[in-house]
Amino acid sequence: MSSRQEPPRGATASPKSGKAARNQSVRDRVAAQRAGERRRDRMRWIAIWTVTAAAVAVLAAVGIWAVVDQSRKADRPAALPKPFHQGGDTAMPPWPLPADPVAGAKAAGLDVQPMEGTAKHFHAHLDVIVNGKPVKVPGDIGISPAQQAMSELHTHDDTGMIHIEAPTANKRYTLGQVFDEWQVKLSAAGIGGLKADSQNTLVAYVDGKPLRSDPATIELLPHRQIALVYGPAGAKVDAPKSYNFPPGQ
């Protein structure tokens, strides 16, 4: 038989075993504390990365919006220029070219360059009829061969065809700018020295339809037919409705 004896029931643990238990408890608390700190660190990093990612997303969205908005602005047509109503208001027709064909263009806010613009190119047509007779719209409005300068809005001959050959695509143009270049004052009150009053009227027609507002504000659009008719009040008017533009123009 073995001489080893079991400790009697109910006997207390030895001091050594109690110390080991306390040490284990301390180690467990330290491990738990460290685990908690690691979890908190992970949560902090997750929060930091979440905020950073959100900030980056916001900045990216703002950048994209700015680019899109800038693109929209670039493509958006500009507002119609306000009429200047500049030029002579006493001269009677026919009205010749001014001494400086491009001075009025610059004053009207038109670009003047050595060559025609290519970003926008179209044509409109103008008839001026005074007391039932046509008045020539001279060639070279907005063109100065001596200065080697050309406005984006000009004429090449006396047919009344207006050329718009612009360096930018989003600008808009009015009939008033043509008369500003021509240095002939145009407004609802008359053309040059021709005054609208109780005896004579000035009526603008767009594609054959009368327009009651300031004729200087008429927008120039592709193949738009514009007629300015001055004469006795109540006179019968047969304003042209269209113009036979040459092929490709």
Side-chain angles (χ1 to χ4, degrees), residues 3 21 27 33 46 65 73 79 86 94 103 138 143 185 191 210 216:
S3 61
R27 286 194 295 272
Q33 183 178 0
I46 290 173
W65 177 86
K73 287 180 180 179
Q86 66 183 10
I143 298 175
K185 188 172 183 178
I191 312 175

Side-chain angles (χ1 to χ4, degrees), residues 158-181:
D158 60 7
T159 61
M161 190 161 69
I162 302 168
H163 298 248
I164 295 87
E165 298 171 62
T168 57
N170 67 335
K171 288 180 69 174
R172 298 165 72 186
Y173 306 89
T174 64
L175 183 63
Q177 289 175 300
V178 176
F179 279 80
D180 288 341
E181 295 181 293

